[in-house]
Amino acid sequence: MHTNRLDAHALTHTYGHGDTAAPALADVSLTIGADGPEAVAVMGPSGSGKSTLLHVLAGIIAPASGRVLWRGGDLAAMRDAERTRLRRSDFGFVFQSGQLLPELPAIENVALPLMLGGGSRSGAEAAAAALLHRLGLGSMLTRRPGELSGGQAQRVAIARALVGSPGMVFADEPTGALDRATGDAVMSLLIGATLGHGASLVVVTHDPEVAAMCSRVVRLQDGRIVSDERAAAPAASYGAARAEASR
Ligand code: ADP
Ligand code: MG
């Protein structure tokens, strides 16, 4: 069994109570990373439960029923502090936008998770600088988010997600605010860099082209998985993503 394995069993989730109750997940089971790192796209119409699934898998919200096991350990059985530590050290997150602290330069935004985890400033900034260089942002270390393009800001967000060497990266429409060309480049980098770090990626997307770059596509409808397909052969851009990340 691969170490960085996430198992979800019969997840359900409902927001609200009584008359306002809205089922968001219904009997969702899936395993990610069982055979090594993989890039999984989660697709489905608006309101189908994609973001809810991501948050439940990452232990950000507790499911109403069902279980999530990370490396065989039940998230629900962990103390809050342990779950928080796990979210910081084992999981990385990339959102659509707005996750960088506007007052901090890129290098400090990326170093922050390591410092929150107890690392020294100098060690954290050295790791952040190395990763930003690898992601093509070596000349942007001291820029604040407001001084970066949308695509550059997302690359900083990717660096921040990866700096702690997570086993799993969760991304919710990470290219949703970018134009096509920039979004494709950012997505290639996200897939290549995540798999290159030995982590799996779970990425929520509306975009069929983004999904085509992934090795597996899970489709949700009304909170249920309606299909779960692996690519017969990795898309061409998938190989390109790996090449790009290794540069
Ligand atoms: P998606 O990401 O696929 O658009 P979501 O997981 O955000 O879907 O939402 C699934 C369902 O749960 C929708 O019906 C949505 O309206 C509802 N929902 C999501 N978040 C909340 C919330 N915080 N409070 C109440 N209902 C919510
Ligand atoms: Mg959503």
Side-chain angles (χ1 to χ4, degrees):
M1 177 178 123
H2 196 268
T3 347
N4 289 328
R5 173 184 174 132
L6 189 73
D7 291 290
H9 294 291
L11 298 177
T12 67
H13 193 67
T14 302
Y15 293 104
H17 299 280
D19 287 351
T20 64
L25 287 183
D27 195 25
V28 168
S29 297
L30 82 166
T31 292
I32 295 163
D35 304 315
E38 58 178 338
V40 184
V42 177
M43 300 192 77
S46 185
S48 58
K50 303 181 299 293
S51 294
T52 302
L53 175 61
L54 206 70
H55 290 149
V56 170
L57 292 179
I60 294 170
I61 55 178
S65 65
R67 297 196 308 157
V68 179
L69 307 181
W70 168 243
R71 296 175 175 164
D74 191 338
L75 294 189
M78 294 175 189
R79 294 165 179 275
D80 284 351
E82 192 182 348
R83 229 177 0 252
T84 300
R85 186 203 57 75
L86 184 141
R87 282 207 300 270
R88 201 172 277 155
S89 65
D90 293 7
F91 295 162
F93 298 92
V94 181
F95 300 104
Q96 186 166 326
S97 61
Q99 63 193 300
L100 301 175
L101 296 174
E103 65 275 21
L104 294 184
I107 185 170
E108 289 184 31
N109 262 291
V110 176
L112 199 60
L114 293 179
M115 290 172 63
L116 290 173
S120 72
R121 172 178 286 270
S122 58
E125 291 194 353
L131 191 50
L132 285 166
H133 274 281
R134 243 183 295 147
L135 298 185
L137 293 170
S139 61
M140 309 271 161
L141 302 186
T142 59
R143 292 225 195 153
R144 292 184 166 72
E147 300 161 343
L148 298 169
S149 71
Q152 289 165 347
Q154 283 308 75
R155 278 145 75 194
V156 174
I158 291 168
R160 187 162 80 173
L162 290 172
V163 75
S165 297
M168 186 78 56
V169 173
F170 298 96
D172 199 345
E173 309 206 26
T175 60
L178 305 176
D179 62 66
R180 156 71 52 205
T182 308
D184 284 356
V186 165
M187 197 59 214
S188 290
L189 199 68
L190 176 61
I191 295 174
T194 301
L195 297 179
H197 271 72
S200 284
L201 173 69
V202 185
V203 56
V204 168
T205 182
H206 274 110
D207 185 340
E209 288 193 28
V210 166
M213 295 163 77
C214 293
S215 47
R216 181 175 165 197
V217 180
V218 172
R219 282 173 212 280
L220 288 183
Q221 209 168 323
D222 299 327
R224 292 177 187 278
I225 293 180
V226 292
S227 72
D228 182 349
E229 293 174 349
R230 280 161 217 274
S237 47
Y238 181 70
R242 299 188 71 108
E244 181 168 340
S246 65
R247 273 212 303 268

